[in-house]
């Protein structure tokens, strides 16, 4: 079956749905809050895609150097995690999923006509952008709501998603427009679609997306300009624009910039202490907030810097986070992957029929790679898939040099069996994970509407699973605490601390220790919660109550003063009440 020159078969239909669903996954309006169900849906499709092609195509007859080094990186991460007892199953399964996805897409691309692939990408990206625009218009003009509530998980990430999509489709549109078969209506439609998408990108206020898109535009313009002198002018203007843009964006959304600088500063301290081997893959979300607490224990907790602090689970620089988690060796392996990819792409052979696809892939990667310096796009499923798609496309082009390792026949068969087996195991793993998340969400909703015993029963059942999800464990411990099961709550919270760290976790830990009469540990945990996120007044108020109960007048006066003098980030009636209470305590003590 053919549709406008595109051959439709099972594999192309599967591919179409993978990319389309993946592109839509982080829209709040589309996904509500059950995006992990869509992720699992994609994993099922990926499994089918992999099964079709792993067996049929001979894609693993050789490994390009970049592919071989990525295998080495996964092997290094798994071995080191096992040896250091820091095995984060979810983070490592994400790494392996990226590898399986890469081969699934690469198998699909190989031996296919680039023209057909271009049309498939054009329709996929075009439909995606139309849905983005339609939902944004509905959100703004029909529901009359702020666009910030439209994006998930935040506008910064969505801006990178959108920029990568626009950059991906733009060279393909240019190629389509240049063809003699174009019509006046198709030309007008493409121009309007691109312009409206760029306007939506501007409305996101996502600086990472803006910078990436401008760099991608410069690259596209450079590639399509045949005159060398004009190319030099483009580079000069681009460098000037980037310097000016960097200066302007440092002052725009200054609080956000200040928060990032704080994260980089504290992340630098983590790296300084763990530069050789790193803290362990997937351990940043466990360690960062503890280091932040240690930092503010010796710094002013009422400073502007302290007001910008929050629970953080990403370094807001993917390369920096790889360095922190995996040490020098992991960072060097990552550098080797990027180096071999650069050499491969530099020596890629293109022609007039496929050049636009090469430019589109590089332009989209520029958006993602640039965004990785300021945010965490490679930790977000849709952007990971987009990056893999681009790399798979680029690796399908012939190169002038052979950057590959040929494998013997027996090893090829063994590799196919292993990849199929891994696909099946990933499918089983993610089916358990989705079931875990659905039950966890159900337990949380039951708790909120008052069915505490039913909620607790579900949490007890989930605790038997091999999957350990930090927030779910915290909620389980909280429910045990409210049910006056203090020792079980303490044990569950101890497990939660090993995979998840936040000020709420330590506030709960302090409350449990206080009721168990472990006052020294309770005091320590209360302070950890305060120093972890100093701009939360509730933590200081809890510690004030703790000292009042202990009749420790000196400390009670100190923390009452701290509350009274604390700058309020977001004024509310609750903060007014806490300040009033602290003032009354100071008056009672004649202060």
């Amino acid at each position: 079956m053919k549709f406008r020159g595109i051959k439709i078969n099972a594999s192309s239909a599967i591919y179409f749905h993978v990319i389309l669903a993946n592109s839509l996954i982080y829209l709040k309006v589309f996904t509500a809050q059950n995006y992990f169900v869509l992720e699992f849906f994609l994993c099922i499709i990926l499994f089918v895609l992999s099964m079709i092609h792993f067996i049929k195509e001979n894609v693993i007859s050789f490994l390009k150097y970049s592919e071989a080094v990525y295998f080495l990186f996964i092997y290094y991460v798994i071995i080191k995690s096992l040896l250091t007892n820091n095995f984060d199953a979810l983070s490592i399964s994400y790494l392996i999923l990226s590898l399986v996805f890469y081969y699934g897409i690469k198998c699909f691309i190989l031996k296919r006509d680039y023209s057909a692939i271009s049309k498939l990408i054009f329709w996929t990206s075009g439909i995606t952008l139309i849905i983005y625009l339609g939902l944004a218009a509905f959100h703004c003009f029909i529901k009359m709501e702020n666009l910030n509530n439209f994006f998930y998980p935040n506008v910064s990430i969505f801006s990178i998603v959108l920029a990568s999509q626009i950059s991906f489709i733009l060279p393909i549109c240019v190629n389509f427009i240049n063809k003699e078969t174009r019509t006046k209506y198709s030309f007008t439609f493409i121009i309007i679609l691109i312009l409206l998408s760029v306007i939506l990108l501007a409305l996101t206020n996502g600086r990472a997306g803006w910078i990436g898109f401008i760099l991608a535009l410069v690259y596209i313009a450079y590639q399509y300009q045949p005159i060398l002198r004009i190319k030099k002018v483009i580079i000069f203007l681009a460098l000037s624009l980037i310097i000016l843009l960097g200066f302007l964006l440092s002052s725009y959304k200054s609080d956000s910039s200040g928060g990032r600088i704080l994260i980089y500063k504290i992340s630098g301290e983590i790296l300084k202490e763990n530069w050789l081997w790193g803290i362990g893959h997937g351990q940043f979300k466990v360690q960062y907030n503890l280091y932040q607490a240690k930092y503010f224990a010796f710094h002013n907790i009422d400073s502007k810097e302290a007001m910008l602090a929050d629970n953080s689970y990403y370094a807001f620089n993917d390369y920096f986070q790889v360095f922190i988690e995996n040490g020098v060796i992991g960072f060097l392996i990552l550098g080797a992957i990027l180096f071999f990819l650069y050499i491969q792409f530099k020596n890629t052979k293109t022609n007039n029929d496929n050049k636009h696809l090469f430019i589109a892939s590089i332009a989209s990667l520029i958006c993602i790679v640039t965004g990785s310096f300021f945010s965490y796009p490679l930790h977000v499923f849709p952007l990971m898939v987009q990056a893999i798609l681009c790399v798979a496309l680029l690796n399908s082009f012939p190169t002038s040099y052979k950057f590959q390792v040929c494998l013997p026949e027996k090893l090829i068969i063994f590799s196919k069996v292993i990849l199929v087996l891994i696909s099946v195991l990933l499918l089983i793993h993610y089916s358990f994970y989705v079931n875990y998340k659905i039950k966890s969400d159900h337990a949380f909703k039951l708790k909120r509407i008052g069915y505490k015993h039913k909620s607790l029963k579900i949490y007890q059942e989930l605790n038997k699973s091999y999957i350990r999800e930090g927030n779910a464990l915290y909620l389980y411990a909280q429910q045990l605490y409210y049910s006056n099961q203090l020792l079980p709550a303490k044990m569950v919270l101890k497990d939660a601390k090993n995979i998840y760290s936040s000020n709420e976790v330590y506030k709960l830990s302090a409350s449990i220790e206080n009721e168990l009469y472990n006052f020294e540990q309770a005091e320590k945990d209360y302070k950890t919660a305060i120093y972890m996120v100093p701009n939360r007044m509730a933590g200081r108020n809890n510690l004030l109550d703790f000292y009042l109960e202990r009749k420790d007048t000196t400390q009670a006066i100190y923390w009452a003063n701290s509350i009274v003098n604390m700058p309020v980030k977001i004024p509310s009636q609750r903060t007014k009440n806490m300040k009033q209470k602290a003032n009354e305590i100071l008056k009672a003590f004649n202060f």
Side-chain angles (χ1 to χ4, degrees):
M1 178 181 173
K2 287 191 176 182
F3 176 70
R4 292 186 178 273
I6 307 172
K7 186 179 179 183
I8 303 296
N9 54 28
S11 59
S12 59
I14 289 169
Y15 171 85
F16 183 88
H17 283 94
V18 166
I19 303 304
L20 186 62
N22 173 70
S23 300
L24 299 172
I25 210 170
Y26 274 82
L27 286 182
K28 277 185 180 178
V29 176
F30 184 76
T31 64
Q33 293 183 353
N34 294 321
Y35 64 90
F36 52 86
V37 177
L38 281 181
E39 290 189 355
F40 177 62
F41 169 71
L42 291 184
C43 289
I44 293 174
I45 295 175
L46 169 63
F47 172 75
V48 176
L49 183 68
S50 302
M51 294 308 98
I52 290 170
H53 296 295
F54 284 160
I55 299 168
K56 191 170 71 172
E57 303 288 353
N58 198 23
V59 71
I60 317 178
S61 57
F62 61 85
L63 288 177
K64 293 201 172 182
Y65 286 173
S66 56
E67 296 169 340
V69 176
Y70 190 65
F71 270 108
L72 177 64
F73 179 70
I74 293 175
Y75 180 76
Y76 167 74
V77 166
I78 292 173
I79 295 299
K80 186 165 75 73
S81 299
L82 289 171
L83 290 175
T84 57
N85 200 27
N86 280 329
F87 194 88
D88 186 329
L90 290 177
S91 295
I92 291 172
S93 68
Y94 186 80
L95 271 182
I96 298 171
L97 177 65
S98 68
L99 182 70
V100 175
F101 219 144
Y102 169 79
Y103 276 109
I105 292 176
K106 189 177 177 183
C107 287
F108 170 81
I109 292 167
L110 287 178
K111 298 181 182 178
R112 273 180 171 76
D113 180 61
Y114 285 117
S115 176
I117 294 172
S118 299
K119 289 176 183 177
L120 194 58
I121 289 171
F122 172 78
W123 284 107
T124 307
S125 299
I127 291 170
T128 300
L129 292 175
I130 289 167
I131 293 174
Y132 286 170
L133 293 168
L135 288 176
F138 173 79
H139 205 75
C140 281
F141 302 116
I142 306 299
K143 295 184 74 177
M144 303 298 288
E145 292 184 10
N146 193 312
L147 258 181
N148 287 341
N149 300 322
F150 171 66
F151 308 112
Y152 187 89
N154 56 57
V155 290
S156 177
I157 290 296
F158 185 77
S159 74
I160 302 169
V161 172
L162 188 56
S164 67
Q165 287 287 338
I166 301 169
S167 303
F168 199 44
I169 197 174
L170 192 55
I172 296 170
C173 288
V174 171
N175 180 68
F176 181 70
I177 289 168
N178 287 336
K179 286 185 176 181
E180 295 178 359
T181 54
R182 81 174 194 272
T183 66
K184 181 177 70 175
Y185 299 108
S186 62
F187 175 80
T188 305
F189 171 75
I190 289 169
I191 296 299
I192 292 173
L193 178 63
I194 296 297
L195 285 175
L196 290 177
S197 300
V198 172
I199 291 169
L200 179 59
L201 176 61
L203 292 174
T204 65
N205 283 330
R207 293 166 297 174
W210 292 354
I211 294 172
F213 182 63
I214 289 169
L215 288 173
L217 276 182
V218 169
Y219 169 77
I220 293 167
Y222 181 86
Q223 289 297 321
Y224 279 109
Q225 179 50 246
I227 302 172
L228 181 60
R229 187 175 62 182
I230 298 179
K231 284 189 174 187
K232 289 180 180 179
V233 172
I234 289 172
I235 292 174
F236 174 77
L237 291 175
L239 288 173
S240 304
L241 179 63
I242 289 166
I243 292 169
L244 177 62
L245 194 64
F247 175 76
L248 292 173
L249 289 179
S250 63
S251 56
Y252 177 68
K253 294 171 73 174
S254 57
D255 283 355
S256 177
S257 299
R260 300 276 172 92
I261 291 169
L262 172 65
I263 291 171
Y264 298 152
K265 184 191 293 185
I266 294 171
S267 298
E269 291 297 316
I270 303 175
L271 182 61
K272 191 191 298 183
E273 295 180 16
N274 303 275
W275 63 272
L276 183 58
W277 296 107
I279 58 176
H281 193 77
Q283 291 298 302
F284 188 89
K285 62 181 180 290
V286 180
Q287 297 295 328
Y288 174 82
N289 288 328
L290 294 173
Y291 273 85
Q292 185 161 276
K294 191 189 298 184
Y295 175 82
F296 281 112
F298 299 99
H299 290 78
N300 182 5
I301 59 172
D302 292 329
S303 64
K304 184 178 180 181
E305 185 180 56
M307 291 299 103
L308 298 173
D310 204 346
N311 293 308
S312 295
Y313 306 106
Y314 303 102
F316 284 86
N317 184 311
D318 282 334
Y319 316 107
F320 195 22
Q321 187 161 333
V322 169
F323 199 172
I324 291 167
E325 291 186 342
N326 298 291
V328 172
I329 297 173
F331 188 70
L332 289 175
I333 294 173
L334 174 67
I337 293 169
L338 295 175
F339 171 75
F340 285 125
L341 285 174
Y342 170 74
I343 297 296
Q344 287 167 206
F345 300 161
K346 189 178 178 182
N347 291 280
T348 296
K349 294 178 181 179
T350 60
N351 52 49
N352 291 332
D353 292 330
N354 60 24
K355 184 180 178 182
H356 62 282
L357 208 53
F358 179 84
I359 295 171
S361 300
I362 292 289
S364 187
L365 275 179
I366 285 172
C367 293
I368 298 170
V369 168
T370 303
S372 296
F373 282 103
F374 310 105
S375 194
Y376 49 93
L378 295 179
H379 288 85
V380 177
F381 193 74
L383 281 165
M384 180 267 279
V385 173
Q386 179 68 20
I388 288 171
L389 170 61
C390 293
V391 173
L393 275 167
L394 292 166
N395 274 343
S396 70
F397 285 85
T399 59
S400 55
Y401 296 97
K402 288 187 177 180
F403 296 95
Q404 58 193 40
V405 180
C406 293
L407 301 177
E409 186 64 31
K410 288 184 179 179
L411 191 56
I412 292 169
I413 296 170
F414 177 74
S415 301
K416 284 187 176 185
V417 171
I418 291 297
L419 280 171
V420 170
L421 180 61
I422 288 173
S423 298
V424 174
L425 291 175
L426 282 172
L427 186 67
I428 295 169
H429 167 72
Y430 278 103
S431 65
F432 278 115
Y433 178 63
V434 167
N435 183 57
Y436 184 96
K437 290 289 287 182
I438 290 172
K439 285 187 175 180
S440 174
D441 275 11
H442 183 54
F444 180 69
K445 288 172 183 174
L446 286 172
K447 171 192 159 187
R448 291 186 67 180
I449 60 177
Y451 293 99
K452 295 181 180 179
H453 292 295
K454 287 183 179 180
S455 172
L456 189 58
K457 189 175 180 181
I458 294 173
Y459 280 128
Q460 287 170 340
E461 182 185 334
L462 290 176
N463 199 43
K464 298 173 185 177
S465 171
Y466 79 95
I467 294 170
R468 315 298 285 168
E469 206 268 330
N471 189 54
L473 287 172
Y474 160 70
L475 292 172
Y476 177 34
Q478 187 183 62
Q479 194 67 359
L480 287 169
Y481 171 69
Y482 291 153
S483 303
N484 203 33
Q485 299 182 49
L486 299 179
L487 285 174
K490 180 178 177 178
M491 296 305 296
V492 171
L493 204 59
K494 184 180 178 182
D495 287 344
K497 286 179 181 178
N498 291 329
I499 52 178
Y500 177 72
S501 178
S502 74
N503 67 316
E504 294 298 329
V505 166
Y506 279 85
K507 275 170 60 179
L508 178 60
S509 178
S511 299
I512 293 169
E513 297 293 352
N514 185 31
E515 295 196 27
L516 289 171
Y517 304 105
N518 299 325
F519 300 127
E520 186 177 345
Q521 185 61 44
E523 180 183 27
K524 184 180 176 182
D525 285 345
Y526 275 128
K527 287 184 176 180
T528 299
I530 292 168
Y531 295 136
M532 198 173 278
V533 187
N535 56 49
R536 307 285 171 84
M537 193 179 287
R540 303 189 197 193
N541 186 62
N542 291 338
L543 186 58
L544 172 60
D545 289 339
F546 173 80
Y547 284 126
L548 288 172
E549 288 175 12
R550 306 278 76 71
K551 295 182 169 45
D552 189 334
T553 307
T554 304
Q555 289 294 334
I557 290 170
Y558 175 85
W559 286 102
N561 264 313
S562 176
I563 291 171
V564 169
N565 297 317
M566 176 183 172
V568 179
K569 187 175 181 181
I570 303 174
S572 67
Q573 187 59 47
R574 190 182 179 199
T575 56
K576 286 180 183 177
N577 292 341
M578 285 188 279
K579 277 184 176 284
Q580 184 180 347
K581 170 188 163 185
N583 271 312
E584 290 171 358
I585 290 167
L586 290 173
K587 285 178 183 177
F589 287 123
N590 296 320
F591 270 86

